[in-house]
Protein backbone atom coordinates (compact mmCIF):
# COMPACT_ATOMS: atom_id res chain seq x y z
CA UNK A 1 0.00 0.00 0.00
CA UNK A 2 2.85 2.36 0.85
CA UNK A 3 4.43 1.62 -2.54
CA UNK A 4 1.19 2.46 -4.40
CA UNK A 5 0.88 5.71 -2.47
CA UNK A 6 4.43 6.66 -3.46
CA UNK A 7 3.71 6.05 -7.16
CA UNK A 8 0.48 8.07 -6.93
CA UNK A 9 2.28 11.00 -5.30
CA UNK A 10 4.98 10.90 -8.02
CA UNK A 11 2.31 10.98 -10.74
CA UNK A 12 0.64 13.94 -9.07
CA UNK A 13 4.00 15.72 -9.03
CA UNK A 14 4.43 15.35 -12.83
CA UNK A 15 0.75 15.88 -13.68
CA UNK A 16 0.92 19.70 -14.04
CA UNK A 17 3.85 19.39 -16.47
CA UNK A 18 2.00 16.76 -18.53
CA UNK A 19 -1.12 18.94 -18.69
CA UNK A 20 0.94 21.98 -19.73
CA UNK A 21 2.71 20.06 -22.53
CA UNK A 22 -0.64 18.72 -23.76
CA UNK A 23 -2.15 22.23 -23.87
CA UNK A 24 0.87 23.63 -25.73
CA UNK A 25 0.69 20.81 -28.28
CA UNK A 26 -2.94 21.69 -28.98
CA UNK A 27 -2.25 25.35 -29.80
CA UNK A 28 -1.09 24.72 -33.43
CA UNK A 29 -4.12 22.49 -34.01
CA UNK A 30 -6.47 25.14 -32.59
CA UNK A 31 -4.93 27.73 -34.94
CA UNK A 32 -5.17 25.42 -37.93
CA UNK A 33 -8.69 24.43 -36.98
CA UNK A 34 -9.67 28.07 -37.27
CA UNK A 35 -8.14 28.12 -40.77
CA UNK A 36 -9.47 24.74 -41.88
CA UNK A 37 -12.51 23.93 -39.66
CA UNK A 38 -14.19 21.44 -41.98
CA UNK A 39 -11.03 19.39 -42.43
CA UNK A 40 -10.35 19.45 -38.69
CA UNK A 41 -13.90 18.31 -37.86
CA UNK A 42 -13.64 15.44 -40.35
CA UNK A 43 -10.33 14.38 -38.84
CA UNK A 44 -11.58 14.47 -35.20
CA UNK A 45 -14.81 12.66 -36.15
CA UNK A 46 -12.97 9.72 -37.68
CA UNK A 47 -10.05 9.47 -35.30
CA UNK A 48 -9.78 6.29 -33.23
CA UNK A 49 -7.16 4.09 -31.63
CA UNK A 50 -7.07 1.87 -34.72
CA UNK A 51 -6.88 4.55 -37.43
CA UNK A 52 -5.07 7.40 -35.72
CA UNK A 53 -1.80 6.46 -37.41
CA UNK A 54 -3.37 6.10 -40.85
CA UNK A 55 -6.01 8.83 -40.78
CA UNK A 56 -5.79 11.84 -43.11
CA UNK A 57 -4.36 14.64 -41.03
CA UNK A 58 -5.74 18.08 -42.01
CA UNK A 59 -2.83 19.75 -40.22
CA UNK A 60 -0.02 18.14 -42.22
CA UNK A 61 -0.06 20.61 -45.12
CA UNK A 62 0.22 23.69 -42.91
CA UNK A 63 3.55 25.13 -41.91
CA UNK A 64 4.36 27.95 -39.55
CA UNK A 65 6.94 30.01 -41.44
CA UNK A 66 7.41 32.37 -38.52
CA UNK A 67 8.94 29.51 -36.53
CA UNK A 68 11.72 28.85 -39.05
CA UNK A 69 13.97 30.84 -41.37
CA UNK A 70 12.38 31.37 -44.79
CA UNK A 71 14.25 30.02 -47.80
CA UNK A 72 14.04 31.24 -51.37
CA UNK A 73 12.28 28.71 -53.57
CA UNK A 74 14.17 28.45 -56.85
CA UNK A 75 12.65 25.15 -57.91
CA UNK A 76 10.43 26.92 -60.46
CA UNK A 77 13.00 29.49 -61.55
CA UNK A 78 12.81 30.29 -65.25
CA UNK A 79 15.88 32.51 -65.30
CA UNK A 80 17.96 30.28 -67.58
CA UNK A 81 16.80 32.35 -70.55
CA UNK A 82 16.70 35.68 -68.72
CA UNK A 83 19.84 37.75 -69.19
CA UNK A 84 21.42 39.30 -66.10
CA UNK A 85 20.28 42.95 -66.37
CA UNK A 86 23.71 44.20 -65.28
CA UNK A 87 25.07 43.27 -68.72
CA UNK A 88 24.24 45.69 -71.50
CA UNK A 89 22.67 43.35 -74.06
CA UNK A 90 20.30 44.13 -76.91
CA UNK A 91 18.43 41.29 -78.63
CA UNK A 92 18.05 41.95 -82.34
CA UNK A 93 16.91 40.01 -85.38
CA UNK A 94 19.38 39.90 -88.28
CA UNK A 95 17.35 39.64 -91.49
CA UNK A 96 18.79 38.19 -94.71
CA UNK A 97 18.39 40.34 -97.82
CA UNK A 98 19.91 40.25 -101.27
CA UNK A 99 22.39 43.01 -102.06
CA UNK A 100 25.46 43.65 -104.17
CA UNK A 101 27.39 41.24 -101.92
CA UNK A 102 24.64 39.00 -100.53
CA UNK A 103 23.63 36.32 -103.04
CA UNK A 104 20.42 34.30 -102.79
CA UNK A 105 19.66 30.92 -104.28
CA UNK A 106 16.53 29.08 -103.24
CA UNK A 107 16.40 29.82 -99.48
CA UNK A 108 20.17 30.12 -99.05
CA UNK A 109 22.04 33.41 -98.68
CA UNK A 110 25.81 33.88 -99.09
CA UNK A 111 27.71 37.02 -98.18
CA UNK A 112 30.42 37.05 -100.82
CA UNK A 113 33.55 38.92 -99.75
CA UNK A 114 35.78 37.25 -102.33
CA UNK A 115 36.82 38.39 -105.79
CA UNK A 116 34.59 35.77 -107.40
CA UNK A 117 31.66 37.38 -109.17
CA UNK A 118 28.09 36.72 -108.11
CA UNK A 119 27.26 34.43 -111.00
CA UNK A 120 30.24 32.20 -110.24
CA UNK A 121 29.36 31.95 -106.56
CA UNK A 122 25.75 31.26 -107.45
CA UNK A 123 26.83 28.41 -109.74
CA UNK A 124 28.64 26.79 -106.78
CA UNK A 125 25.76 27.22 -104.32
CA UNK A 126 23.63 24.10 -103.82
CA UNK A 127 25.65 22.10 -106.33
CA UNK A 128 25.93 18.35 -105.62
CA UNK A 129 28.20 17.61 -102.68
CA UNK A 130 31.15 15.37 -103.54
CA UNK A 131 30.78 12.97 -100.61
CA UNK A 132 28.06 11.02 -98.84
CA UNK A 133 27.94 10.36 -95.12
CA UNK A 134 26.92 6.83 -94.24
CA UNK A 135 23.88 6.56 -91.99
CA UNK A 136 23.85 4.07 -89.08
CA UNK A 137 27.52 3.36 -89.62
CA UNK A 138 29.73 1.74 -86.99
CA UNK A 139 32.46 4.17 -88.02
CA UNK A 140 32.49 7.92 -87.21
CA UNK A 141 31.20 10.12 -90.02
CA UNK A 142 31.27 13.51 -88.29
CA UNK A 143 33.76 15.20 -85.96
CA UNK A 144 32.69 18.13 -83.79
CA UNK A 145 35.49 20.14 -82.21
CA UNK A 146 36.22 23.60 -80.86
CA UNK A 147 39.23 25.76 -81.71
CA UNK A 148 37.99 28.35 -79.20
CA UNK A 149 36.33 26.00 -76.72
CA UNK A 150 36.32 28.48 -73.82
CA UNK A 151 34.08 30.94 -75.66
CA UNK A 152 30.92 31.29 -73.56
CA UNK A 153 27.71 33.27 -73.27
CA UNK A 154 26.21 36.12 -71.27
CA UNK A 155 25.44 35.23 -67.64
CA UNK A 156 21.77 34.78 -66.84
CA UNK A 157 19.74 36.27 -64.01
CA UNK A 158 20.57 33.38 -61.70
CA UNK A 159 24.30 34.02 -62.03
CA UNK A 160 26.23 36.69 -60.10
CA UNK A 161 27.35 39.85 -61.88
CA UNK A 162 31.06 40.06 -62.63
CA UNK A 163 32.19 43.37 -64.17
CA UNK A 164 35.42 41.69 -65.32
CA UNK A 165 33.77 38.74 -67.01
CA UNK A 166 35.53 38.11 -70.34
CA UNK A 167 32.86 35.80 -71.85
CA UNK A 168 35.20 32.84 -71.58
CA UNK A 169 34.89 29.86 -69.32
CA UNK A 170 36.92 26.69 -68.81
CA UNK A 171 33.84 24.87 -67.47
CA UNK A 172 32.75 22.56 -70.30
CA UNK A 173 29.19 22.68 -68.99
CA UNK A 174 29.06 26.40 -69.78
CA UNK A 175 31.23 26.93 -72.86
CA UNK A 176 31.19 25.76 -76.51
CA UNK A 177 31.74 22.16 -75.49
CA UNK A 178 28.26 22.16 -73.93
CA UNK A 179 26.73 23.31 -77.23
CA UNK A 180 28.78 20.79 -79.18
CA UNK A 181 27.57 18.00 -76.93
CA UNK A 182 23.94 18.80 -77.73
CA UNK A 183 24.81 18.67 -81.44
CA UNK A 184 26.73 15.41 -81.05
CA UNK A 185 23.94 13.73 -79.11
CA UNK A 186 21.32 14.89 -81.62
CA UNK A 187 23.25 13.62 -84.64
CA UNK A 188 23.88 10.25 -83.02
CA UNK A 189 20.18 9.89 -82.21
CA UNK A 190 19.39 10.66 -85.85
CA UNK A 191 21.69 7.92 -87.10
CA UNK A 192 24.93 9.74 -87.95
CA UNK A 193 27.89 8.43 -86.00
CA UNK A 194 29.40 11.58 -84.50
CA UNK A 195 32.30 12.07 -82.12
CA UNK A 196 33.23 15.21 -80.21
CA UNK A 197 36.62 16.48 -79.12
CA UNK A 198 36.45 18.66 -75.99
CA UNK A 199 40.05 19.91 -75.96
CA UNK A 200 40.40 23.53 -74.81
CA UNK A 201 42.69 24.59 -77.64
CA UNK A 202 42.56 28.24 -76.55
CA UNK A 203 43.55 27.61 -72.93
CA UNK A 204 45.79 28.60 -71.27
CA UNK A 205 46.97 30.48 -74.37
CA UNK A 206 44.63 31.91 -77.01
CA UNK A 207 47.52 32.35 -79.45
CA UNK A 208 48.16 29.36 -81.65
CA UNK A 209 44.66 27.93 -81.15
CA UNK A 210 44.22 27.01 -84.81
CA UNK A 211 47.63 25.35 -84.96
CA UNK A 212 46.63 23.20 -81.98
CA UNK A 213 43.20 22.35 -83.34
CA UNK A 214 44.71 21.49 -86.72
CA UNK A 215 46.85 18.82 -85.10
CA UNK A 216 43.84 17.51 -83.21
CA UNK A 217 41.75 17.19 -86.37
CA UNK A 218 44.60 15.50 -88.27
CA UNK A 219 44.91 12.88 -85.52
CA UNK A 220 41.21 12.12 -85.71
CA UNK A 221 41.28 11.86 -89.50
CA UNK A 222 44.22 9.48 -89.31
CA UNK A 223 42.51 7.35 -86.67
CA UNK A 224 39.09 7.47 -88.34
CA UNK A 225 39.45 7.87 -92.13
CA UNK A 226 35.67 7.38 -92.31
CA UNK A 227 35.11 10.98 -91.13
CA UNK A 228 33.56 13.09 -93.88
CA UNK A 229 32.58 16.21 -91.98
CA UNK A 230 34.43 18.42 -89.48
CA UNK A 231 32.44 21.10 -87.65
CA UNK A 232 34.36 23.74 -85.70
CA UNK A 233 31.77 25.19 -83.30
CA UNK A 234 32.25 28.77 -82.05
CA UNK A 235 30.19 31.72 -80.97
CA UNK A 236 30.41 35.17 -82.56
CA UNK A 237 30.99 38.51 -80.82
CA UNK A 238 29.01 41.56 -81.93
CA UNK A 239 28.97 44.95 -80.20
CA UNK A 240 27.71 48.38 -81.15
CA UNK A 241 28.60 51.53 -79.20
CA UNK A 242 29.27 49.56 -76.04
CA UNK A 243 26.12 47.45 -76.34
CA UNK A 244 26.41 43.70 -76.79
CA UNK A 245 24.25 42.56 -79.70
CA UNK A 246 22.45 39.23 -79.44
CA UNK A 247 21.05 38.08 -82.81
CA UNK A 248 17.88 36.23 -81.81
CA UNK A 249 14.90 34.66 -83.54
CA UNK A 250 11.75 33.35 -81.89
CA UNK A 251 10.09 30.35 -83.51
CA UNK A 252 6.93 28.78 -82.07
CA UNK A 253 7.55 30.56 -78.79
CA UNK A 254 11.15 29.35 -78.42
CA UNK A 255 14.14 31.68 -78.58
CA UNK A 256 17.10 30.67 -80.72
CA UNK A 257 20.49 32.30 -81.12
CA UNK A 258 20.94 33.00 -84.81
CA UNK A 259 23.57 30.90 -86.59
CA UNK A 260 26.27 31.91 -89.07
CA UNK A 261 28.30 29.45 -91.13
CA UNK A 262 31.75 30.52 -92.33
CA UNK A 263 33.13 28.89 -95.46
CA UNK A 264 36.66 29.94 -96.33
CA UNK A 265 37.99 30.74 -99.80
CA UNK A 266 41.51 30.56 -101.22
CA UNK A 267 43.16 33.61 -102.76
CA UNK A 268 45.91 31.45 -104.19
CA UNK A 269 48.15 31.49 -101.13
CA UNK A 270 46.11 29.60 -98.54
CA UNK A 271 46.56 25.95 -99.51
CA UNK A 272 42.82 25.36 -99.93
CA UNK A 273 42.46 23.93 -103.43
CA UNK A 274 39.07 22.33 -102.66
CA UNK A 275 37.41 25.29 -100.94
CA UNK A 276 34.51 25.32 -103.43
CA UNK A 277 33.53 21.83 -102.24
CA UNK A 278 33.20 23.17 -98.70
CA UNK A 279 30.95 25.95 -100.01
CA UNK A 280 28.71 23.39 -101.73
CA UNK A 281 28.37 21.56 -98.43
CA UNK A 282 27.81 24.76 -96.44
CA UNK A 283 25.07 26.02 -98.76
CA UNK A 284 23.29 22.67 -98.82
CA UNK A 285 23.11 22.62 -95.03
CA UNK A 286 22.18 26.30 -94.88
CA UNK A 287 19.33 25.81 -97.33
CA UNK A 288 17.90 23.03 -95.20
CA UNK A 289 18.12 25.18 -92.07
CA UNK A 290 16.28 28.05 -93.76
CA UNK A 291 13.47 25.76 -94.86
CA UNK A 292 13.09 24.01 -91.51
CA UNK A 293 13.81 26.91 -89.14
CA UNK A 294 13.08 30.11 -91.12
CA UNK A 295 15.41 33.04 -90.32
CA UNK A 296 17.53 30.99 -87.90
CA UNK A 297 20.57 31.28 -90.17
CA UNK A 298 22.33 34.51 -91.07
CA UNK A 299 23.99 34.59 -94.54
CA UNK A 300 27.00 32.32 -94.94
CA UNK A 301 30.22 34.30 -94.68
CA UNK A 302 32.31 33.41 -97.75
CA UNK A 303 35.69 35.08 -97.36
CA UNK A 304 39.44 34.54 -97.62
CA UNK A 305 39.84 32.60 -94.42
CA UNK A 306 41.43 29.26 -93.74
CA UNK A 307 40.30 27.88 -90.36
CA UNK A 308 41.88 24.49 -91.21
CA UNK A 309 39.16 23.87 -93.79
CA UNK A 310 41.67 22.37 -96.19
CA UNK A 311 41.64 19.13 -94.15
CA UNK A 312 38.34 17.81 -95.57
CA UNK A 313 35.81 18.86 -98.20
CA UNK A 314 33.16 18.85 -95.48
CA UNK A 315 34.79 21.38 -93.16
CA UNK A 316 32.90 24.45 -91.98
CA UNK A 317 33.02 26.81 -89.03
CA UNK A 318 29.69 27.41 -87.30
CA UNK A 319 29.03 30.46 -85.11
CA UNK A 320 26.21 29.70 -82.66
CA UNK A 321 24.93 33.06 -81.42
CA UNK A 322 27.16 35.73 -79.92
CA UNK A 323 28.50 36.51 -76.46
CA UNK A 324 25.16 38.23 -75.86
CA UNK A 325 23.19 35.00 -76.34
CA UNK A 326 22.28 32.72 -73.47
CA UNK A 327 23.57 29.16 -73.27
CA UNK A 328 19.97 27.94 -73.44
CA UNK A 329 19.38 29.78 -76.73
CA UNK A 330 22.66 28.43 -78.11
CA UNK A 331 21.73 24.86 -77.21
CA UNK A 332 18.38 25.30 -78.94
CA UNK A 333 20.21 26.43 -82.07
CA UNK A 334 22.81 23.68 -81.85
CA UNK A 335 20.06 21.09 -81.72
CA UNK A 336 18.26 22.71 -84.67
CA UNK A 337 21.48 22.82 -86.72
CA UNK A 338 22.14 19.14 -86.05
CA UNK A 339 18.60 18.18 -87.07
CA UNK A 340 18.96 20.08 -90.34
CA UNK A 341 22.40 18.65 -91.03
CA UNK A 342 21.04 15.14 -90.63
CA UNK A 343 18.13 15.95 -92.94
CA UNK A 344 20.49 17.42 -95.53
CA UNK A 345 22.71 14.33 -95.35
CA UNK A 346 19.65 12.11 -95.81
CA UNK A 347 19.01 13.83 -99.14
CA UNK A 348 22.57 13.99 -100.48
Amino acid sequence: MQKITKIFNTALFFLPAIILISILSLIPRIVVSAINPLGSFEYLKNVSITNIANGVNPFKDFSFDFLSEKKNDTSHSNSSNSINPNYNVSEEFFASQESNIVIKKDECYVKNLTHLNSSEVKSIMLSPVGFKAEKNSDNPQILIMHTHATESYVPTADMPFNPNYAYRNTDTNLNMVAVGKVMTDTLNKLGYNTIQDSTLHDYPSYNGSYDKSKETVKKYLEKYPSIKIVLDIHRDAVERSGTIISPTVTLDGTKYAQIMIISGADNGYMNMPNYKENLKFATTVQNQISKTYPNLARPILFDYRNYNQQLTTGSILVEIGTHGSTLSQAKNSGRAFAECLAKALDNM
Side-chain angles (χ1 to χ4, degrees):
M1 184 69 180
Q2 186 177 1
K3 187 175 181 179
I4 294 173
T5 302
K6 187 177 180 180
I7 293 173
F8 182 73
N9 290 334
T10 302
L12 286 175
F13 176 80
F14 286 107
L15 184 59
I18 294 170
I19 293 173
L20 179 61
I21 292 172
S22 300
I23 293 172
L24 290 174
S25 68
L26 287 172
I27 291 175
R29 281 173 163 73
I30 293 170
V31 174
V32 176
S33 295
I35 300 172
N36 188 18
L38 292 177
S40 301
F41 174 75
E42 193 66 27
Y43 173 71
L44 294 170
K45 184 179 73 172
N46 294 313
V47 74
S48 69
I49 297 297
T50 56
N51 70 14
I52 191 167
N54 300 318
V56 178
N57 189 342
F59 312 112
K60 69 182 180 65
D61 293 326
F62 289 89
S63 63
F64 297 92
D65 291 338
F66 57 84
L67 297 177
S68 61
E69 182 181 354
K70 290 187 177 180
K71 295 181 180 179
N72 292 326
D73 179 15
T74 59
S75 59
H76 301 291
S77 173
N78 193 29
S79 60
S80 62
N81 235 349
S82 176
I83 296 170
N84 188 313
N86 292 293
Y87 297 88
N88 188 16
V89 177
S90 173
E91 287 189 349
E92 297 183 11
F93 167 64
F94 286 14
S96 297
Q97 293 181 317
E98 283 188 275
S99 69
N100 59 331
I101 60 171
V102 176
I103 305 159
K104 182 178 185 290
K105 186 173 183 180
D106 198 2
E107 296 302 317
C108 180
Y109 291 83
V110 172
K111 186 176 183 179
N112 178 29
L113 299 183
T114 72
H115 294 142
L116 276 67
N117 61 47
S118 295
S119 60
E120 188 172 357
V121 173
K122 203 164 189 176
S123 69
I124 300 169
M125 293 170 63
L126 307 181
S127 295
V129 176
F131 63 84
K132 185 171 178 63
E134 184 180 345
K135 195 168 186 176
N136 300 318
S137 172
D138 293 333
N139 302 311
Q141 304 292 304
I142 302 169
L143 169 63
I144 290 178
M145 42 75 64
H146 314 274
T147 297
H148 296 153
T150 68
E151 290 176 334
S152 57
Y153 297 93
V154 66
T156 49
D158 52 353
M159 299 179 184
F161 173 63
N162 179 0
N164 299 316
Y165 183 57
Y167 299 91
R168 294 189 177 275
N169 203 316
T170 57
D171 186 343
T172 55
N173 294 307
L174 298 174
N175 60 25
M176 300 314 303
V177 177
V179 181
K181 185 180 186 308
V182 170
M183 300 172 73
T184 302
D185 292 345
T186 302
L187 286 163
N188 279 314
K189 287 177 183 177
L190 294 174
Y192 287 97
N193 192 329
T194 303
I195 54 178
Q196 181 188 19
D197 178 82
S198 59
T199 304
L200 305 183
H201 295 102
D202 57 339
Y203 182 82
S205 175
Y206 185 84
N207 293 332
S209 302
Y210 279 99
D211 291 333
K212 296 173 191 173
S213 63
K214 178 181 179 181
E215 294 306 311
T216 295
V217 173
K218 287 172 68 175
K219 287 177 182 177
Y220 276 98
L221 293 177
E222 289 171 7
K223 185 176 181 179
Y224 303 107
S226 56
I227 291 175
K228 311 291 195 309
I229 297 163
V230 178
L231 305 177
D232 191 357
I233 308 302
H234 295 244
R235 63 111 177 101
D236 203 357
V238 182
E239 291 193 27
R240 186 186 305 118
S241 303
T243 299
I244 299 169
I245 307 302
S246 174
T248 308
V249 63
T250 301
L251 301 170
D252 295 328
T254 300
K255 282 188 177 183
Y256 297 81
Q258 284 187 284
I259 293 169
M260 181 175 70
I261 297 174
I262 299 179
S263 186
D266 193 344
N267 58 6
Y269 302 94
M270 303 177 72
N271 190 31
M272 298 173 64
N274 299 313
Y275 72 92
K276 292 180 182 179
E277 298 303 314
N278 283 328
L279 183 59
K280 292 177 185 178
F281 170 61
T283 54
T284 299
V285 175
Q286 173 96 334
N287 206 46
Q288 185 64 62
I289 294 171
S290 296
K291 289 182 175 181
T292 310
Y293 291 90
N295 300 312
L296 175 61
R298 298 157 58 189
I300 293 171
L301 179 58
F302 182 49
D303 195 6
Y304 293 118
R305 308 186 184 204
N306 182 282
Y307 298 143
N308 298 325
Q309 292 180 1
Q310 76 279 11
L311 298 177
T312 75
T313 55
S315 292
I316 54 175
L317 187 150
V318 186
E319 305 268 20
I320 307 287
T322 71
H323 60 319
S325 307
T326 66
L327 179 60
S328 176
Q329 293 168 0
K331 286 182 176 181
N332 290 341
S333 300
R335 188 176 296 106
F337 180 95
E339 290 172 3
C340 295
L341 171 58
K343 195 173 292 187
L345 293 175
D346 288 344
N347 297 320
M348 283 184 185

